[in-house]
DNA sequence: CATGGTTAAATGCAAATGCATGAAGTAGTC
DNA sequence: GACTACTTCATGCATTTGCATTTAACCATG
């Protein structure tokens, strides 16, 4: 129950950590240099914009984004502060609320996507053939822990990430 | 120069971000539950323990670990506070210093490795054949940005990560 | 050996994170 | 309906990060 990992597995782990960190950094830096907010904002805006009425319960957002609860709560604060989303009362469950994306939010999401997608292309797309990208996905998916929903993320016109 | 990424590339990016985050979290949690400090400490201790006389210049550590300068500086503070390393004067360059691992540091590194390796096995090794791990490495290495030194990380008896 | 440019490392301050807890509501059970 | 257990969300507080700046030392050049 406590066997050691093979050196191959260890090497894969190392690569996974280092490469992700590097690529993420690169993309985030590009985005920041272009004057945009952090990626997490984009992810949240995308999730909201995709949701049925442009609104979601914080709990749902939290699950989609794999963020801790308090983190989601504060992210929403910031979006609201910037006028990118609004909090709405939730009639059916008075504990809760809905977070609805605003027009400004949708616009920022679109603008960010053009910078973001350029980053993905630059730091991922251009280094991998489509076939290899597919292989990479396949291998990574096998590491997807107990979390059936990961594969459900259709890539429509943007990534939902982190 | 600003072409859009293929959906394959985008999907790979998403997987890379999500899977890494999940796996890292899982391993870090296991480690924390076992009462150990964060992974970054392990990485630093490992680098130090491998270095010629068990000592490195902060700059070098910084490069190995892909951390910002101030972050390394503070990490060293913490290691020193806990008696896991000591700062030594650097005769040849009075600006600088050496950081030397202590016996306590080496011991912690070894102890952490047994928990850490169990985590790698549990969250990576057990989900991938050795052959697939090798394939994964190969694909990830192609994303390794302008940074020739990444591949130089021999996997001796532990991962150096992040 | 003065002097302007560069590198090593630390640090003050603001913002972000993690953790634990609290307040308010829902839901099942008796 | 009263009680207990659980869910949703916010928040105070300590720690950690990120950023910009500072201090000190090196180094090349004239």
């Amino acid at each position: 129950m406590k066997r050691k990992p093979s050196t191959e597995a260890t090497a894969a782990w190392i690569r996974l950590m280092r490469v992700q960190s590097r690529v993420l950094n690169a993309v985030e830096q590009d985005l920041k240099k272009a004057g945009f907010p952090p990626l997490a904002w984009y992810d949240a805006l995308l999730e909201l914009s995709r949701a049925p009425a442009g609104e979601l319960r914080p709990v749902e957002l939290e699950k989609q984004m794999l963020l801790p609860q308090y983190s989601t709560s504060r992210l929403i604060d910031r979006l609201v502060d910037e006028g990118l989303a609004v909090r709405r009362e939730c009639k059916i469950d008075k504990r809760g609320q809905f977070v609805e994306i605003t027009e400004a939010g949708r616009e920022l999401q679109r603008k960010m996507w053009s910078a973001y997608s350029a980053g993905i292309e630059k730091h991922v797309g251009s280094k991998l053939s489509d076939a290899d990208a597919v292989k990479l996905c396949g291998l990574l998916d096998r590491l997807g822990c107990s979390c059936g929903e990961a594969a459900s993320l259709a890539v429509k016109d943007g990534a939902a990430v982190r």
Side-chain angles (χ1 to χ4, degrees), chain A:
Chain A
M1 198 262 142
K2 231 186 171 186
R3 237 197 58 242
K4 299 291 172 188
S6 63
T7 53
E8 286 79 8
T10 305
W13 157 266
I14 295 177
R15 267 20 164 244
L16 180 59
M17 295 302 125
R18 296 189 87 105
V19 170
Q20 186 275 349
S21 145
R22 240 183 261 228
V23 175
L24 174 59
N25 255 316
V27 171
E28 284 252 41
Q29 283 312 324
D30 286 1
L31 222 48
K32 168 171 290 187
K33 267 178 226 149
F36 288 114
L39 260 181
W41 291 35
Y42 175 83
D43 294 339
L45 291 175
L46 179 65
E47 291 301 333
L48 291 176
S49 74
R50 273 181 182 169
E55 62 181 16
L56 279 177
R57 300 281 299 266
V59 212
E60 325 213 47
L61 196 52
E62 176 191 328
K63 276 167 200 148
Q64 291 292 333
M65 309 217 337
L66 305 179
L67 285 180
Q69 181 270 320
Y70 59 82
S71 193
T72 311
S73 176
R74 281 164 176 156
L75 175 54
I76 294 171
D77 283 348
R78 286 164 214 155
L79 296 180
V80 169
D81 283 350
E82 299 293 327
L84 303 168
V86 289
R87 292 182 202 269
R88 296 215 167 291
E89 186 195 11
C90 175
K91 315 265 182 192
I92 51 176
D93 182 347
K94 288 301 190 67
R95 288 170 300 189
Q97 61 188 246
F98 279 105
V99 180
E100 188 186 348
I101 190 170
T102 63
E103 200 33 61
R106 289 186 191 271
E107 196 183 319
L108 177 60
Q109 185 268 318
R110 281 189 295 265
K111 281 192 182 142
M112 284 185 81
W113 175 238
S114 73
Y116 185 12
S117 64
I120 296 178
E121 172 57 19
K122 177 169 156 200
H123 300 289
V124 178
S126 71
K127 315 214 170 177
L128 234 41
S129 71
D130 279 5
D132 284 340
V134 171
K135 277 185 213 156
L136 182 52
C137 279
L139 289 167
L140 288 174
D141 277 342
R142 286 215 233 136
L143 298 181
C145 315
S146 51
C147 234
E149 49 78 21
S152 77
L153 261 180
V155 177
K156 224 177 53 187
D157 72 331
V161 188
R162 221 98 134 91

